[in-house]
Amino acid sequence: MKTESYVVQLFHKGKKWNLPVKVEELGAGFKISARVEEKEICFARDDHNGLRAINHQEDFDPQFLYLLASEIQRMYQLSR
C-alpha cells in the first residue's frame, strides 16, 4: 500500500485554508481524503472524471467542497 500526503491551500469566503490530504493506494483503487475541522472528508470520482465528496456534504458549504475537490485533483495531477 502506497500513501501520498499533500497540503492543499484554498480561499473560501475570505478565509485561507491549509488542509492535509491523503491519497492511499488500496489494491486496484484509491482512497482520497482531506481533514477539515476534525472531520475526514472522502472523495470519489464523478461522471466527469472529477472528484466529489461522498460524506459530510451536510456539514460544509457545497462551494467549499467543490473548491477542495478541484484543488486536490490539481495537486494530484501535478505530482504525476
Side-chain angles (χ1 to χ4, degrees), residues 18-66:
N18 291 300
L19 302 168
V21 173
K22 280 195 325 186
V23 179
E24 299 174 76
E25 188 176 330
L26 305 170
F30 292 89
K31 177 183 177 189
I32 302 168
S33 62
R35 301 267 330 152
V36 181
E37 297 178 344
E38 303 301 318
K39 295 179 179 157
E40 181 183 46
I41 302 173
C42 296
F43 294 85
R45 289 275 175 213
D46 65 15
D47 295 336
H48 306 287
N49 204 30
L51 293 176
R52 65 176 179 84
I54 59 173
N55 62 342
H56 294 295
Q57 295 96 331
E58 66 283 347
D59 296 326
F60 297 99
D61 178 58
Q63 182 66 21
F64 175 80
L65 294 174
Y66 172 81

Side-chain angles (χ1 to χ4, degrees), residues 67-78:
L67 291 171
L68 178 55
S70 297
E71 189 60 20
I72 290 170
Q73 187 163 346
R74 188 184 75 77
M75 291 296 294
Y76 186 70
Q77 288 173 343
L78 287 176

